[in-house]
Amino acid sequence: MVKASYITSQLPVALDLSADGSTTAASRRPDIVFVVNPQGANGRTGKEWKKLLPYLRYRLDSDYNICESFTSGPRHAIDITREAIREGAHAVIAVGGDGTLHEVVNGFFFDGKPVSRNDQRAYSTALGLIPLGTGSDFARMFSWKNDPRNAVDCIARGKRSHISVGVVTGEDDETHYFINVADIHLSAKAGCFASRYKKFGKFCYIIGALQAFLGHHDHDLRLKVDNGEWETYSQVTALCVGNAKYFGGGMMITPSAHPSSKNFEVVIFQNFKWYDFILKLHMLYKGTHVTTKNVLSISAQSIEVEEVVRSDSIFVQSDGEYLGFLPRKFTILPAAIDMIC
């Protein structure tokens, strides 16, 4: 495991007057660890973070020990988060886009279980977010304005809410966690293509989706919802498992989902053509696509998905991160994390 390196603000050590009149070093102020992806949004995240620091210190320095930790590559945020939790951090804040948030969320777990503090105290480390990346779809759930200082103000207020987390498992028994949306087939392939066009901002997903339609073929899938019977769904274009509402730069893909819920919203697109995507694009942003005849919405706590005829070609991703191919099982963990929001 890569050992996290904290760059802390230089704060004086407070002194505490003990009962016998001697002075001892007071327990340090609670740590808030900011996990920053400096290369996010083509380097914009690092630049915006530097601009934000004076305001952040103004709002938080009197109550917390501010710890910066910069990621150096893929999965580094996971390791930083695990170490911060074990060391008893008050909160771990993801600074960047949905990819950084995804890694920080995965850092709250290890070997299929929540990471525990080394001192075994019951107080839990909270999750926070300062959206500074290319995609910040999860932040839309809380109607934050396009100003990272609003996120800092939320951290200063310290209000916590229990949120659910999704779990993805496959044949290799490897476990992945997601906080926003996991998706299968065309939409997952579109997400992979979209990563090539991030310079176009929120339009990168639209470009990626249109590219994904080239050579695309719908597939028959089998689904098992909440450990019920297997059912076949024909000509599936895409399937989205929502713990939250938004993906793809603001598309309200699973409009009934909310991370405070104990259920996913599963939206299934069947026989959805490229011209459907264009003609109904406005509906995807408003969340009204679920009223159309070739779109189905299901509420579920778990869902297993496999191909009727296995091809090992059906893409799976979660929070925009590529995971591989079907089969997969998606399970919700209700109230798994405390989030500052």
Side-chain angles (χ1 to χ4, degrees), residues 223 233 240 265-270 289-290 292-298:
L223 277 60
Y233 291 77
C240 301
E265 181 181 19
V266 180
V267 173
I268 305 169
F269 296 81
Q270 293 174 278
H289 57 285
V290 293
T292 60
K293 64 179 182 180
N294 54 344
V295 181
L296 177 65
S297 174
I298 300 171

Side-chain angles (χ1 to χ4, degrees), residues 21 83 102 113 116 130 144 167 180 197 201 299 308:
E83 181 173 345
H102 175 75
K113 299 177 182 177
S116 300
I130 297 179
W144 286 342
V167 187
N180 198 38
Y197 305 109
S299 179
V308 172

Side-chain angles (χ1 to χ4, degrees), residues 289-334:
H289 57 285
V290 293
T291 63
T292 60
K293 64 179 182 180
N294 54 344
V295 181
L296 177 65
S297 174
I298 300 171
S299 179
Q301 293 182 331
S302 71
I303 181 167
E304 296 178 58
V305 186
E306 65 181 24
E307 298 176 82
V308 172
V309 179
R310 185 159 182 169
S311 67
D312 291 326
S313 64
I314 306 299
F315 281 57
V316 180
Q317 69 172 9
S318 65
D319 294 344
E321 303 297 316
Y322 169 74
L323 298 184
F325 304 104
L326 290 179
R328 298 282 167 158
K329 181 176 182 178
F330 305 83
T331 308
I332 200 164
L333 294 179

Side-chain angles (χ1 to χ4, degrees), residues 7-300:
I7 306 172
T8 61
S9 58
Q10 298 301 311
L11 298 175
V13 178
L15 296 180
D16 178 46
L17 188 64
S18 65
D20 62 2
S22 63
T23 57
T24 59
S27 58
R28 64 187 299 190
R29 279 172 269 197
D31 287 345
I32 295 185
V33 178
F34 294 85
V35 182
V36 185
N37 175 13
Q39 302 305 318
N42 295 315
R44 183 175 62 84
T45 298
K47 295 175 183 177
E48 293 298 320
W49 171 247
K50 290 180 181 178
K51 294 178 184 178
L52 183 65
L53 266 177
Y55 183 75
L56 186 143
R57 291 195 173 108
Y58 164 72
R59 294 289 277 126
L60 301 177
D61 246 359
S62 61
D63 297 312
Y64 300 101
N65 191 36
I66 297 170
C67 307
E68 298 173 82
S69 195
F70 296 95
T71 61
S72 59
R75 300 186 62 83
H76 192 192
I78 297 175
D79 298 327
I80 293 169
T81 301
R82 286 174 180 162
E83 181 173 345
I85 294 171
R86 288 166 180 151
E87 293 299 318
H90 175 80
V92 179
I93 313 298
V95 181
D98 292 319
T100 302
L101 177 63
H102 175 75
E103 287 202 3
V104 169
V105 167
N106 274 267
F108 273 75
F109 302 89
F110 179 71
D111 199 22
K113 299 177 182 177
V115 175
S116 300
R117 294 165 56 118
N118 289 336
D119 59 16
Q120 299 300 312
R121 293 182 182 178
Y123 185 84
S124 62
T125 299
L127 169 69
L129 172 64
I130 297 179
L132 288 179
T134 302
S136 296
D137 281 311
F138 187 78
R140 300 175 197 272
M141 286 297 308
F142 304 101
S143 301
W144 286 342
K145 299 176 182 177
N146 190 25
D147 186 345
R149 290 178 296 181
N150 292 325
V152 174
D153 293 339
C154 286
I155 296 166
R157 288 192 294 270
K159 180 182 176 182
R160 294 182 173 207
S161 297
H162 296 310
I163 62 167
S164 299
V165 171
V167 187
V168 188
T169 52
E171 292 179 316
D172 58 3
D173 293 326
E174 188 173 356
T175 303
H176 300 271
Y177 300 87
F178 67 97
I179 194 171
N180 198 38
V181 178
D183 51 317
I184 294 169
H185 206 16
L186 179 89
S187 56
K189 196 189 309 183
C192 292
F193 287 138
S195 63
R196 304 174 185 176
Y197 305 109
K198 287 189 175 182
K199 64 181 179 181
F200 294 105
K202 69 177 183 179
F203 298 107
C204 68
Y205 188 84
I206 297 173
I207 299 170
L210 292 173
Q211 184 176 354
F213 269 112
L214 297 175
H216 171 80
H217 299 284
D218 294 340
H219 277 255
D220 297 342
L221 301 181
R222 298 197 331 141
L223 277 60
K224 180 190 286 189
V225 176
D226 293 338
N227 297 315
E229 298 296 324
W230 285 100
E231 295 185 34
T232 298
Y233 291 77
S234 62
Q235 297 298 296
V236 175
T237 308
L239 184 151
C240 301
V241 182
N243 185 52
K245 298 181 188 297
Y246 301 95
F247 87 158
M251 295 182 189
M252 197 186 297
I253 199 70
T254 46
S256 296
H258 197 280
S260 65
S261 171
K262 297 180 180 179
N263 294 282
F264 294 129
E265 181 181 19
V266 180
V267 173
I268 305 169
F269 296 81
Q270 293 174 278
N271 196 28
F272 206 77
K273 306 301 183 183
W274 66 268
Y275 49 82
D276 290 318
F277 176 74
I278 294 174
L279 294 174
K280 298 175 182 178
L281 185 61
H282 66 289
M283 301 180 75
L284 293 170
Y285 282 99
K286 293 179 180 179
T288 56
H289 57 285
V290 293
T291 63
T292 60
K293 64 179 182 180
N294 54 344
V295 181
L296 177 65
S297 174
I298 300 171
S299 179

